[in-house]
Amino acid sequence: MTLPSHCQIVVIGGGIIGCSTAYHLAKLHKADVILLERDRLTSGSTWHAAGLVGQLRNSASITQLLRYSVRLYAGLEAETGLATGWRPSGCLRLARSPERMVEFKRQATTARSFGLEMHLLSPAEVALRWPLLETGDLAGASWLPSDGQANPSDIAQSLAKGARANRARVVEGAAVTGFDIRHGRVAGVRTSQGNIACEKVVNCAGQWARQLGALAGVSVPLQPMRHQYVVTEPVPGLPADLPTMRDPDRYTYFKEEVGGLAFGGYERNPKAWLDEPPQDFSFALLDDDWELFEQHLANALARVPALATTGIKRMIAGPESFTPDGNFILGEAPEVAGFFVGAGFNSFGIASAGGAGMALAEWIVRGEQPTDLWSVDIRRFSGLHRDRDWVRERTLEAYGKHYTVAFPHEEMQSGRPRLMSPLYGRLDRLNACFGSKLGWERANWFAPSGSRAEDVYAMGRQSWFEAVGREHRAVRERAGLFDQSSFAKFEVSGAGAAAALSWLSANDVAKAPGRVTYTQMLNSRGGIECDLTVARLADDRFYVVTGTGFRTHDAHWICSHLPAGADVTFRDVTEEFGTLSLMGPRARQVLSRVTDADLGNAAFPFGHCRQIGIADRPVRALRVSYVGELGWELHAPATALPAVFDALMEAGEPLGLTPAGYRAIESLRLEKAYRAWGADLSPSDNPLEAGLVWAVKLRASTPFLGREPCERAAREPLTKRFTVLTVDDPSAVLVGRETILRDGAVVGYLTSGGWGYTVRRNIGLGYVRHPEGVTDAFLGEGHYELEIATERFPATLHLSPLHDPGGARLRA
């Protein structure tokens, strides 16, 4: 086929992801689209994928994408006439340990929250579904009846045929050699068969996606990894309708294949493949590594003893792309406008392909993610992820954890420490236990003197529970000092800065200089894209502070929505400033000992910022709080932060000032019902649903992005509302995604959960849903329970924060 000189959208990569994206662009959006494949369709990793299709993930929206995949595959053959090999065989997951069984119980509750059928089985029930299994060592299992298996190549070919039927063009043998970038936007694709002018490009190049992205200056942090499985000769007595089976405690998986078994696994000592796979690696495999696979053979024989007398037909040793956090990559690259990515599927690309292609297609056409896709958003990464050595090391760890028990709050250990605040050494000497966020080392909690600062993970109360309680109480009763230097910090300046930020912000940020405003930034549907603080330093200069993990996302959102030609300059100043948060009822007393500034309410009210001096260093003080107490965020030049910290700690010692960490922040903010973006707030939630209408300038006539949908929401009954729920029983442990029941019916799930040390109760935050409207009466009349790891606990619903609901302590 001769390439066209122009096409609206160019999809690159003819694996299952590229085929799905082209299919959905053509069918659902009638887009002018061409799919380019450097060799032949499925020739990369799709053709050798095992084809297991599971649906449950920790994210509700990602689970829904995978459920969409299942529905799509079930009907694709009827639509295109090509078989897909789809079989809804169901899936067993085996548990050998009590911790694994608790994990499955939590997953069963998560599945219930997300509307997915899942059951817990006894070992005897497992044996009925998989008669050849050794079940003597099992504690139980989970059963998802709608999971299944498929033939990956057949699905990809069927999707390609469906794309062609909807006027998409599919061209094989067209290798992409470069891109035309004009004024920061993709304008064309250069190929071995000629050039194509275009408006948008979609990088679905699989394990080559990193190299392809680099041609456009786009970072795609993935690592090709060796993954192996074997196919056996026929196994006598093996049922043809056998469910797929995962044995995570033995790191293996199984599926029926032509009367035999295909089985492989995820070893704890994995091997990375080449950083830059050769371009001519098509329908090719790696050399068999039986030494590496020996552990899976031993585990498979222990689980299915019949394999001892069964021959092996062949090994499939192929490279697959994995990412540093185990989640795939979707969305528009922040470096180049119009350049989208769908790659890095971590061995669940077949399960994800249908839904991921559908969501990516809508993102491409609409210009916004269609639902909450933060866990897979390419903007979750940062400049750190351009480091190939770091990405490889972290991805090896993520691969090795593919089947390990997922303990709540578990931290990754590889590639650390990488980014450190100027106070890292001081906090280390104070016995801090550090966590990592976007590469930054952050004090999570402080161990008592003489004890080891180390996380010991558990399914119940964690090892740091009492230590965090001490920090929490210090902040409520005296004062705590947090190092929050990892905050992402931006300066927006210029004659057009006020107008630009006013358009982007739901709240009124164009207040007089010296004011600080908490605001959301909304998408065209009214969904919350950013949740941040804006301080006006001068008429033409603003200081924006947002969460550590949202640095790339929020910077991209702001920059991509600045008015064309406006006199606005955006600058990322994250590393230039360190941040200390001094919080608690004695915060003013501590701060007054190290500065001459007037800290009284008249001179320095809540929601204001001032330049003050501490230890002869300039400090930008913002009177705000995320813990619900009197306090200040103190932003100082990074080189000055150690002196400021030392002065505060010395002055605060007689007043009981205590260093505190991020886990105390979490419990403190739960008591105040403060929302967290990425958990309680998302692009799928509008401010009215989230209980943040007070932070939206609807009473003014000022236009802002997302105003119209907010106005509509204000006129219509809300079908979901943010609430606080508590459980008195101290044996319960909330971590999020627990099911909310009202009068016995499922009405939502928790988005956050934890323990409130002041109120001495379990606290959950989440949305209650009801299609006919969630009124105060509806909320107040119900009897509530929370399902926690399949067990129901009585719960109390609250419409206001548990701690200081009027906010008097903030303004003291």
Side-chain angles (χ1 to χ4, degrees), residues 268-332:
R268 297 298 307 275
N269 58 330
K271 292 183 178 180
W273 193 43
L274 304 173
D275 288 352
E276 298 193 4
Q279 294 296 322
D280 59 354
F281 193 85
S282 299
F283 292 114
L285 294 172
L286 308 177
D287 293 337
D288 298 344
D289 189 336
W290 288 101
E291 182 178 357
L292 182 66
F293 196 76
E294 184 178 1
Q295 58 192 294
H296 300 311
L297 280 176
N299 282 324
L301 285 168
R303 181 59 65 210
V304 186
L307 290 174
T309 56
T310 304
I312 292 177
K313 286 183 180 178
R314 62 187 181 278
M315 172 180 279
I316 311 297
E320 297 185 18
S321 55
F322 284 74
T323 62
D325 62 3
N327 290 322
F328 57 86
I329 304 172
L330 283 189
E332 185 177 24

Side-chain angles (χ1 to χ4, degrees), residues 201 217 246 688 774:
V201 161
R246 292 171 172 86
L688 286 83
V774 183

Side-chain angles (χ1 to χ4, degrees), residues 213-233:
L215 295 176
V218 169
S219 173
V220 183
L222 55 77
Q223 174 66 50
M225 299 286 296
R226 170 184 283 272
H227 185 73
Q228 303 181 134
Y229 66 93
V230 298
V231 179
T232 75
E233 300 288 351

Side-chain angles (χ1 to χ4, degrees), residues 507-739:
N507 207 346
D508 179 15
V509 299
K511 298 170 184 172
R515 295 295 301 276
V516 182
T517 305
Y518 167 65
T519 188
Q520 287 75 47
M521 292 181 177
L522 311 180
N523 57 37
S524 64
R525 306 185 308 277
I528 300 170
E529 289 285 349
C530 307
D531 181 66
L532 39 74
T533 299
V534 179
R536 191 169 193 176
L537 306 180
D539 286 340
D540 61 351
R541 187 163 164 246
F542 295 80
Y543 184 60
V544 180
V545 182
T546 189
T548 304
F550 315 136
R551 179 178 183 174
T552 304
H553 175 278
D554 289 6
H556 177 255
W557 184 263
I558 294 170
C559 291
S560 63
H561 288 82
L562 293 175
D567 180 7
V568 182
T569 299
F570 177 93
R571 195 164 68 90
D572 187 326
V573 295
T574 299
E575 278 77 19
E576 295 180 29
F577 290 89
T579 305
L580 288 168
S581 292
L582 174 63
M583 300 290 158
R586 297 180 186 173
R588 183 179 284 114
Q589 292 173 262
V590 174
L591 191 55
S592 66
R593 294 187 174 200
V594 296
T595 183
D596 295 329
D598 187 345
L599 304 176
N601 268 332
F604 204 151
F606 181 78
H608 286 66
C609 62
R610 300 283 187 268
Q611 189 82 6
I612 67 173
I614 300 176
D616 298 321
R617 271 72 169 184
V619 174
R620 185 178 292 166
L622 281 62
R623 190 171 167 194
V624 295
S625 175
Y626 192 52
V627 300
E629 298 293 337
L630 167 70
W632 285 264
E633 282 182 13
L634 305 170
H635 297 252
T639 55
L641 202 66
V644 173
F645 177 81
D646 292 344
L648 288 167
M649 289 298 292
E650 182 179 355
E653 183 178 6
L655 294 168
L657 179 65
T658 299
Y662 274 86
R663 291 196 171 127
I665 291 176
E666 179 68 8
S667 66
L668 290 159
R669 71 104 181 169
L670 287 175
E671 292 186 335
K672 282 292 290 179
Y674 286 153
R675 288 70 159 159
W677 196 88
D680 314 306
L681 305 175
S682 80
S684 297
D685 308 313
N686 70 50
L688 286 83
E689 296 165 336
L692 296 172
V693 67
W694 59 268
V696 183
K697 54 194 175 196
L698 286 177
R699 293 182 181 179
S701 59
T702 312
F704 61 91
L705 179 58
R707 183 182 182 105
E708 291 75 13
C710 284
E711 288 175 333
R712 287 196 299 273
R715 294 191 299 266
E716 301 169 357
L718 295 173
T719 58
K720 68 175 184 180
R721 281 179 59 183
F722 186 83
T723 61
V724 179
L725 293 112
T726 56
V727 173
D728 292 337
D729 190 332
S731 70
V733 177
L734 301 180
V735 296
R737 297 182 301 281
E738 291 83 5
T739 306

